[in-house]
């Protein structure tokens, strides 16, 4: 029996209405015993006298950093970080920073670093002929760092735009050493650090605090994997955070109250911080299931027509590093979406997202979407994953043949 509302395999979080979200916010404030608003970030108060400062210092303690400040958005956090580091830098190239070509700061911030703070990005380039792009590495960056001496080296953990791959722990150690030797600040774009912790934190000597100690500053986001309304946190030493508060004011981020955002962020942290290992494990399991289906489907077509059929789907990376992955389809957007709709009609399951993008670099001629594992799809049965993808592959193969 086909259900009226299809099961969405790629949807990590359920949609709720604003009224539901604000009702939840009211309940969450009571759960946290928050009975007053913060005022301009409560920056003159101690954690003993401010729930917001308590939240900030809870995060600082969690990551092993000296201090922290909550602010409205990640883009603001990045611009503040670059501005502070330039101010502290003695380098002749202090108006520049180094980052990977897939960095959020280059792809999704409308050149804020140029238009707002007049800084130049030194870019670690893509390998254009390669289907699988690699994360930032020490070998990719060391010569660029030494030849340019930027005020900041920015590392995204994980690299969202290449499927959640992570720079190796060993490379981070080498980058940290080099930056310290040269007086360069090493900053983590940790919007999805919660997810990356499942990759990095694998033993007692590789915990989240050991990871964060490699960096001078860190930014984390609350509305992605944690499910908050919005908001970000900057973490670093006291001098960095003190100066960051000045720059946040300059950017208009020192709001009269941050309560709606910060309360939902606080609850998101408390409820979800320990869930990402299980989410990665679940994603690895279902990707293994679907990968076998993809190979079996191609082999069955080989056997039936005496020719060689190529696979229709690939995953980047083949084994998820974190609880997100990129799913590539060897077709065009229109065909992929038509197959999606037909699949839902047949079995009541949508395996792919509607938010498809054209593949880049070595992945031209392909389309892809990002899939995250979260509370909405975590408990979907293996049977539904298999049924949905088996049906979709069958429909897509027919579409490709036509």
């Amino acid at each position: 029996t086909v259900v009226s509302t299809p099961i969405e395999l790629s949807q990590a979080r359920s949609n709720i209405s604003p009224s539901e979200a604000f009702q939840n916010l009211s309940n969450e404030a009571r759960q946290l015993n928050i009975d007053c608003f913060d005022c301009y970030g409560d920056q003159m108060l101690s954690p003993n006298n401010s729930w917001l400062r308590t939240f900030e210092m809870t995060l600082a303690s969690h990551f092993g950093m000296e201090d922290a400040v909550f602010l409205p958005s990640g883009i603001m956090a990045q611009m503040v970080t670059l501005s502070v580091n330039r101010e502290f830098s003695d380098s002749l190239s202090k108006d520049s920073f180094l980052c990977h070509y897939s960095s959020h700061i280059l792809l999704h911030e409308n050149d804020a670093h140029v238009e707002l703070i007049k800084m130049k990005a030194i870019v670690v380039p893509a390998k254009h002929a390669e289907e699988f792009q690699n994360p930032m590495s020490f070998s990719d960056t060391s010569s660029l760092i030494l030849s340019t001496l930027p005020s900041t080296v920015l590392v995204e953990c994980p690299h969202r735009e290449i499927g959640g791959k992570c720079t190796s722990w060993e490379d981070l150690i080498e980058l940290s050493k080099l930056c310290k030797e040269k007086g360069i600040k090493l900053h983590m774009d940790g919007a999805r650090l919660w997810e990356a912790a499942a990759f990095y934190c694998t033993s007692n000597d590789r915990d989240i605090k050991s990871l964060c100690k490699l960096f001078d500053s860190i930014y984390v986001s609350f509305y992605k994997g944690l499910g908050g309304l919005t908001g970000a946190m900057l973490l670093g030493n006291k001098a960095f955070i003190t100066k960051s508060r000045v720059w946040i004011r300059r950017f208009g981020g020192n709001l009269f109250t941050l309560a709606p955002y910060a309360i939902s962020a606080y609850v998101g942290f408390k409820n979800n911080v320990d869930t990402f290992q299980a989410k990665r494990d679940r994603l690895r399991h279902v990707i293994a299931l679907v990968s076998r289906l993809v190979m079996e489907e191609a082999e069955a077509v080989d056997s039936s027509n005496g020719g060689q059929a190529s696979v229709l789907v690939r995953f980047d990376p083949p084994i998820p590093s974190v609880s997100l992955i990129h799913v590539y389809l060897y077709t065009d957007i229109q065909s992929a979406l038509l197959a999606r709709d037909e699949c839902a009609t047949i079995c009541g399951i949508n395996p792919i997202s509607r938010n498809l993008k054209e593949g880049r670099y070595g992945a031209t001629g392909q389309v892809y979407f990002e899939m995250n594992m979260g509370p909405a799809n975590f408990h979907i049965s293996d049977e539904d994953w298999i049924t949905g993808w088996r049906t979709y592959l069958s429909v897509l193969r027919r579409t490709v043949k036509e």
Side-chain angles (χ1 to χ4, degrees), residues 111-142:
D111 293 328
H113 63 283
V114 176
E115 300 297 334
L116 294 182
I117 60 175
K118 312 302 180 187
M119 291 193 73
K120 174 186 175 183
I122 301 161
V123 181
V124 180
K127 296 178 172 59
H128 287 265
E130 295 185 9
E131 199 172 47
F132 289 90
Q133 295 289 317
N134 292 317
M136 192 164 162
S137 69
F138 182 72
S139 62
D140 287 337
T141 57
S142 56

Side-chain angles (χ1 to χ4, degrees), residues 8-16 195 223-228 268 271-272 275-276 278-280 282 323 372-381 385:
E8 300 286 349
L9 299 184
S10 66
Q11 185 172 326
R13 193 168 292 279
S14 300
N15 296 320
I16 64 171
E195 287 88 338
Y223 75 87
K224 301 175 178 75
L226 297 185
N271 291 347
N272 295 287
T275 66
F276 291 95
K279 289 172 185 173
R280 185 186 74 156
R282 180 61 182 157
S323 55
N372 290 265
M373 184 60 66
N377 57 358
F378 185 90
H379 295 290
I380 295 174
S381 69
W385 282 92

